[in-house]
Amino acid sequence: MIAILGLAFRSVLNDPRKALLYILTIAFPIMIIFALMAIANGYSSQLSNLIPSYAGNRILLVNSSANSLSDSILEYSIVNELHEMGFKQVFAQILIYSNIMGDQGFLKVNVHGIDDLKRFYQYVSARVNGSMPESDFEANVGILLARRLDLNLGDEIRLIEGENTWTLRIVGMIDCKCPCDYEILTSLEGAWRIRPHLMNKASFIELEISGDYNFKEVESILMKELHGTSLLVERPFRDAAENIINATFNSVKSWSISTCFIVLVATYFVALKLSLDSEKEVLILRYIGASKRTAFSFIFLKSLLLVGLASIIGLAFGVVSAEVGFRILSIIFSTGLYEPPSLTALDILHGLSLIQLFSIIGIIYPSLKASRLEVGEIRWRSAYR
């Protein structure tokens, strides 16, 4: 077997141009497989880093008759009652859906009025570039919305609702890796100025449950003390986000498995062409007494050598192409965080195992077909090619 392997290796080296063509034919789909795996890993890591670091026990207190957060109206005095009950993290908020003029016309945006912005930013671990609003005419803008609208510190934004217009000056950009990154944030007083009929009211109140209580106990207390309200439990964002990330990750990886069928087709045609190119070598082997099994081993090992070399080249090209493509996309979309595509040892082992399996399936039939030819038929075909 070692002698046949050495003979197959020398046969590959005898015609390097054809060998390179065959290798690249197989390497291209292999490159796609590893590129998809690397991109899936980079994409998963990058999204995982964007998951907000929110507290785990957050609930929203809303009006029980409201159909949405923006429809909900609560008295602001409830905040004081919640403080008296022992809740420390309590934030009254107003959510306003408004229009802002952009380069491509009106854009619907969320204007988020929050009581005690400083504590809220600490609560959601937000970073502020600039300062926090000190008057009703100032606002912070989430970093994603600022990029979309090309806004800078000191710019003014005009909120338009029908015939009414409100102007807010941007004094800070916030980055919290949370939905606020795509909102306009102002003080509760600023939101009351925009919606005077909501003066001394809030759309909802956000509070955090301490470790001394569970949700059922808090719900029982609040429903007893605060009539006409209901609680919404915020599903842990990390769990929800990780489910989405894993689903996307598996979806991208599933394409790499589908691409293995292209590897099968590529190796089949390469092995078929290789068996035709190797007829004279097979003829010599048969003349000196080699069996059909030896002829099969020669074609099979020669094809497998090409697959092995193609796997190495495809792996290298796949990682490089994923790195280049991912870097270009991160520049185009101005991604703040960059997690380079990567492959784990398990990914490489999994990918190479699938490639070898599908390649062997593609090689077997052409190798069997070539080994079953009789000496006379091989001589005749070699003479008239």
Side-chain angles (χ1 to χ4, degrees):
M1 182 61 72
I2 295 176
I4 296 298
L5 180 61
L7 186 63
F9 184 71
R10 287 194 296 272
S11 177
V12 169
L13 295 179
N14 285 340
D15 196 347
R17 299 178 91 180
K18 271 192 176 180
L20 181 61
L21 178 63
Y22 295 151
I23 288 170
L24 292 178
T25 300
I26 302 172
F28 181 72
I30 293 175
M31 177 192 75
I32 295 175
I33 290 172
F34 286 114
L36 287 172
M37 286 186 173
I39 288 172
N41 285 339
Y43 177 79
S44 176
S45 299
Q46 187 149 329
L47 286 185
S48 295
N49 288 333
L50 293 174
I51 296 177
S53 54
Y54 271 175
N57 299 316
R58 303 171 71 210
I59 59 176
L60 302 181
L61 185 68
V62 299
N63 191 309
S64 57
S65 62
N67 295 320
S68 65
L69 290 180
S70 59
D71 294 335
S72 173
I73 298 177
L74 297 172
E75 292 296 331
Y76 181 75
S77 58
I78 294 177
V79 172
N80 297 326
E81 296 181 46
L82 291 170
H83 281 303
E84 290 173 1
M85 292 179 193
F87 293 99
K88 295 180 180 179
Q89 299 286 17
V90 180
F91 302 98
Q93 303 174 47
I94 290 179
L95 198 59
I96 301 171
Y97 299 120
S98 185
N99 292 307
I100 187 172
M101 178 63 78
D103 293 336
Q104 299 179 353
F106 289 107
L107 175 69
K108 204 79 173 177
V109 296
N110 292 348
V111 180
H112 199 163
I114 302 171
D115 183 25
D116 199 343
L117 274 171
K118 184 178 180 180
R119 277 200 314 118
F120 182 79
Y121 286 169
Q122 292 173 348
Y123 181 58
V124 297
S125 304
R127 296 187 297 274
V128 182
N129 177 20
S131 62
M132 287 181 288
E134 295 181 355
S135 74
D136 302 349
F137 300 91
E138 296 178 342
N140 289 158
V141 177
I143 188 171
L144 297 180
L145 182 61
R147 286 176 180 171
R148 179 172 181 180
L149 297 177
D150 194 23
L151 297 173
N152 297 298
L153 293 178
D155 289 351
E156 291 187 343
I157 49 179
R158 298 177 63 194
L159 303 177
I160 302 170
E161 289 190 27
E163 298 179 355
N164 297 320
T165 302
W166 296 271
T167 302
L168 297 173
R169 189 169 66 89
I170 301 172
V171 295
M173 307 282 188
I174 70 157
D175 181 5
C176 66
K177 309 296 184 296
C178 68
C180 294
D181 286 345
Y182 207 76
E183 294 179 334
I184 297 171
L185 293 100
T186 186
S187 63
L188 202 58
E189 290 77 10
W192 286 339
R193 183 175 69 89
I194 297 172
R195 293 285 175 87
H197 67 281
L198 293 178
M199 183 67 69
N200 295 322
K201 292 180 173 59
S203 298
F204 60 93
I205 298 173
E206 183 174 338
L207 56 147
E208 183 181 4
I209 302 175
S210 66
D212 299 332
Y213 296 96
N214 59 39
F215 174 73
K216 290 295 182 184
E217 290 173 336
V218 172
E219 185 179 35
S220 176
I221 293 171
L222 293 180
M223 294 305 99
K224 182 179 179 181
E225 299 292 333
L226 304 173
H227 300 291
T229 62
S230 60
L231 293 180
L232 299 178
V233 182
E234 185 174 81
R235 182 184 178 189
F237 189 83
R238 178 169 291 275
D239 294 345
E242 285 183 347
N243 288 340
I244 296 173
I245 291 170
N246 290 333
T248 308
F249 178 78
N250 293 330
S251 176
V252 174
K253 276 201 167 182
S254 67
W255 282 94
S256 64
I257 298 174
S258 303
T259 311
C260 286
F261 288 97
I262 302 177
V263 174
L264 188 153
V265 174
T267 52
Y268 171 79
F269 284 106
V270 166
L272 198 62
K273 186 67 171 66
L274 200 64
S275 64
L276 294 174
D277 294 339
S278 304
E279 283 183 346
K280 289 183 179 179
E281 293 163 305
V282 173
L283 177 62
I284 292 171
L285 286 173
R286 297 297 301 279
Y287 263 133
I288 61 176
S291 64
K292 291 183 178 181
R293 183 177 178 181
T294 303
F296 168 81
S297 298
F298 174 73
I299 300 296
F300 182 83
L301 291 175
K302 189 175 178 180
S303 301
L304 209 57
L305 279 171
L306 294 178
V307 171
L309 294 170
S311 298
I312 296 171
I313 293 174
L315 172 59
F317 282 4
V319 173
V320 171
S321 62
E323 173 76 29
V324 172
F326 218 64
R327 173 62 73 177
I328 291 173
L329 289 175
S330 69
I331 293 172
I332 292 173
F333 294 107
S334 303
T335 306
L337 293 173
Y338 175 73
E339 291 290 334
S342 60
L343 289 171
T344 64
L346 188 61
D347 288 330
I348 295 173
L349 182 62
H350 175 71
L352 290 177
S353 299
L354 283 175
I355 289 165
Q356 297 305 314
L357 175 63
F358 280 82
S359 297
I360 289 172
I361 295 172
I363 291 169
I364 287 177
Y365 178 73
S367 301
L368 280 173
K369 185 178 179 182
S371 66
R372 287 177 178 176
L373 293 175
E374 298 297 334
V375 173
E377 186 177 353
I378 298 174
R379 187 191 304 119
W380 181 86
R381 291 176 62 171
S382 299
Y384 289 96
R385 280 178 58 186

